[in-house]
Amino acid sequence: VSVVLGCQWGDEGKGKLVDILAKDIDVCVRCQGGNNAGHTIVVDGVKYAFHMLPSGLVNKECISVVGSGVVVHLPSFFEELEDLESQGLDCDGRLLISDRCHIVFDFHQIVDGMKEGELGRGSIGTTKKGIGPAYSSKASRSGIRVHHLFHPAEFEKRLRTIVAARFRRYGEFEYDVEAELQRYSKLAERLRPFVIDSVEYLHTALREGKRILVEGANALMLDLDFGTYPYVTSSNTGIGGVCTGLGIPPTKIGDVIGVAKAYTTRVGGGPFPSELTDAVGQKLRDVGAEYGVTTGRPRRCGWLDLVVLRYSTMVNGYTSINLTKLDVLDVFDEIKVAVSYTINGKEVTSFPADLDDLETATVNYVTLPGWSQSISKCRSFDELPENCQKYVRFIENDIGVPVKWIGTGAGREDMISL
């Protein structure tokens, strides 16, 4: 099994690499998250937006599986599928979903907004897609899984129980349980042809020598355990989430590819040590078109942070790196890279857990010369300007992992393979 994971705070361009790799694989799998993720893939001038579905669907020979660890909002599942098919993508028989997936209901989305409101000024910047509340239901063992849909009496009992509990917690918000039961009765029959036992399916594929690619959503710094808690998502976005979200043991995992932007971005609240709130940050945002696929929100931008990348590499054990959007740096005469923090008078080279410490941190930068020319037409590493090559090697030497792919533009063809 090969795995593609985000190294930073998401939006690194994982979907594009998955799309390129999917040409040589048989099964593409999502292992965690929900439709709070967002990938954009440009193929032959057509822009495909993925949120919950695996972006391996772009490859017509590839089977795509929504794995057990994903939380699924079924109306959004079908809406996304219809959008892709309306753009000429034939997904018939190529999309499967685990019977162990937990379901995101509309009441989860309503509650998501209420919980964010309760947090007030310290809000985490949720997408309000109901992902966190759905994972809360899962962790409190009151969640509803896909297989429950096919036992109507059990499904009804579970839905009435969980909604009643939310009413007790948040008051009687507007939510029509009777209409929801009717809606899900129809959705269940529509979903039935897609549903599989994904654990058995994936292990059978492995025994048959099929090539499996796991597509991580979000990124390591949004991991529930290892990210900037509580400004994180509600699932394990690192390598651990691959095993727990799919039922695949660590011994079956081969390549772990980390996708890192050549600078840093994040969406929503939370610490971001190398953030630039000046004209340089705005320039990165404008040149890099840094606005969210799922939400349209402007992303916060800053220089590359090697403290983050080093930490991410420790946790996920990357075997190679895909450095994306390197072309965005074409317009800068000099480029800064964060190499350490100073906290309470001490130099720190790994990412700290305590956000109060991070608030007081001074970021220590190294300044590298820019290359001030377009790299969009470069198709090999040797064609890159000398200073651009040095920038890539500087990153490699620091984290101790080879850069195997370099993104030089938005299209499928704009990727240098080393």
Side-chain angles (χ1 to χ4, degrees):
V1 178
S2 297
V3 181
V4 174
L5 298 171
C7 294
Q8 295 151 313
W9 277 284
D11 309 309
E12 298 92 352
K14 297 177 287 295
K16 181 177 163 185
L17 180 65
V18 169
D19 172 45
I20 291 167
L21 297 177
K23 288 182 287 192
D24 300 315
I25 63 151
D26 305 300
V27 185
C28 181
V29 200
R30 274 279 305 272
C31 62
Q32 44 70 225
N35 62 328
N36 58 337
H39 300 311
T40 305
I41 297 175
V42 182
V43 182
D44 300 328
V46 181
K47 188 182 280 189
Y48 299 100
F50 289 88
H51 302 285
M52 179 196 315
L53 304 184
S55 44
L57 279 169
V58 171
N59 170 16
K60 293 173 175 58
E61 305 301 315
C62 182
I63 301 289
S64 286
V65 179
V66 178
S68 313
V70 178
V71 290
V72 180
H73 183 249
L74 290 180
S76 299
F77 175 91
F78 287 114
E79 189 180 314
E80 187 173 333
L81 181 58
E82 286 163 6
D83 285 348
L84 292 171
E85 289 182 329
S86 73
Q87 291 179 285
L89 208 57
D90 181 11
C91 303
D92 190 42
R94 298 197 298 113
L95 177 61
L96 304 169
I97 182 170
S98 172
D99 56 4
R100 289 176 169 88
C101 284
H102 278 253
I103 300 172
V104 182
F105 291 94
D106 287 3
F107 74 80
H108 284 125
Q109 298 182 339
I110 295 166
V111 165
D112 208 350
M114 290 175 173
K115 288 179 87 126
E116 186 77 344
E118 282 182 348
L119 290 169
R121 285 179 62 203
S123 66
I124 56 176
T126 169
T127 56
K128 298 186 176 65
K129 300 283 185 184
I131 308 302
Y135 276 115
S136 294
S137 295
K138 177 180 178 176
S140 64
R141 294 160 295 178
S142 59
I144 299 173
R145 305 205 293 188
V146 164
H147 62 84
H148 289 129
L149 288 168
F150 308 113
H151 300 280
E154 176 68 12
F155 175 77
E156 179 176 345
K157 185 178 86 173
R158 285 177 172 271
L159 185 64
R160 289 189 188 282
T161 301
I162 193 170
V163 171
R166 293 300 172 274
F167 283 166
R168 286 195 299 275
R169 167 70 175 80
Y170 293 100
E172 294 261 345
F173 52 84
E174 192 175 322
Y175 189 72
D176 189 339
V177 179
E178 306 310 319
E180 198 75 324
L181 286 167
Q182 287 185 3
R183 179 161 75 141
Y184 273 85
S185 174
K186 292 173 185 162
L187 284 170
E189 289 315 305
R190 193 176 173 193
L191 189 70
R192 197 184 285 272
F194 297 87
V195 179
I196 57 163
D197 177 341
S198 62
V199 177
E200 183 181 42
Y201 180 89
L202 292 173
H203 280 270
T204 300
L206 282 168
R207 278 196 302 276
E208 291 174 353
K210 297 229 173 112
R211 295 157 300 178
I212 298 175
L213 180 67
V214 180
E215 177 180 15
N218 317 115
L220 193 276
M221 299 310 291
L222 294 171
D223 185 276
L224 183 58
D225 290 297
F226 298 106
T228 47
Y229 188 88
Y231 298 93
V232 291
T233 193
S234 302
S235 60
N236 286 114
T237 58
I239 194 69
V242 174
C243 298
T244 58
L246 296 177
I248 290 175
T251 50
K252 298 292 183 188
I253 293 173
D255 290 332
V256 181
I257 304 157
V259 183
K261 217 172 256 181
Y263 49 102
T264 311
T265 64
R266 85 169 290 176
V267 171
F272 181 176
S274 67
E275 181 174 13
L276 297 166
T277 54
D278 56 8
V280 177
Q282 187 60 45
K283 192 173 182 180
L284 279 170
R285 187 177 302 111
D286 292 340
V287 176
E290 293 296 350
Y291 298 89
V293 178
T294 297
T295 61
R297 287 186 289 186
R299 297 179 187 134
R300 300 157 63 191
C301 297
W303 295 120
L304 182 67
D305 189 336
L306 287 178
V307 181
V308 167
L309 216 49
R310 243 177 260 135
Y311 172 74
S312 183
T313 301
M314 282 194 291
V315 175
N316 282 336
Y318 305 121
T319 54
S320 60
I321 295 289
N322 170 200
L323 191 65
T324 64
K325 300 186 84 163
L326 187 58
D327 56 302
V328 173
L329 300 182
D330 290 350
V331 296
F332 293 95
D333 294 329
E334 60 178 35
I335 298 159
K336 291 187 177 182
V337 180
V339 291
S340 66
Y341 309 148
T342 300
I343 299 173
N344 299 326
K346 292 181 181 175
E347 188 177 18
V348 174
T349 55
S350 182
F351 202 86
D354 193 319
L355 301 195
D356 291 334
D357 284 348
L358 268 179
E359 285 293 321
T360 65
T362 302
V363 182
N364 302 312
Y365 291 99
V366 166
T367 301
L368 301 172
W371 43 94
S372 301
Q373 66 188 85
S374 174
I375 62 168
S376 61
K377 299 285 190 289
C378 297
R379 290 294 174 263
S380 71
F381 186 76
D382 291 340
E383 289 176 28
L384 293 172
E386 184 184 356
N387 285 346
C388 187
Q389 292 184 28
K390 285 180 178 175
Y391 184 74
V392 175
R393 295 303 185 211
F394 183 83
I395 295 165
E396 282 185 326
N397 291 338
D398 187 279
I399 64 172
V401 180
V403 172
K404 198 170 175 182
W405 295 272
I406 297 171
T408 58
R412 183 190 260 183
E413 67 284 356
D414 299 323
M415 186 82 89
I416 295 170
S417 182
L418 279 71

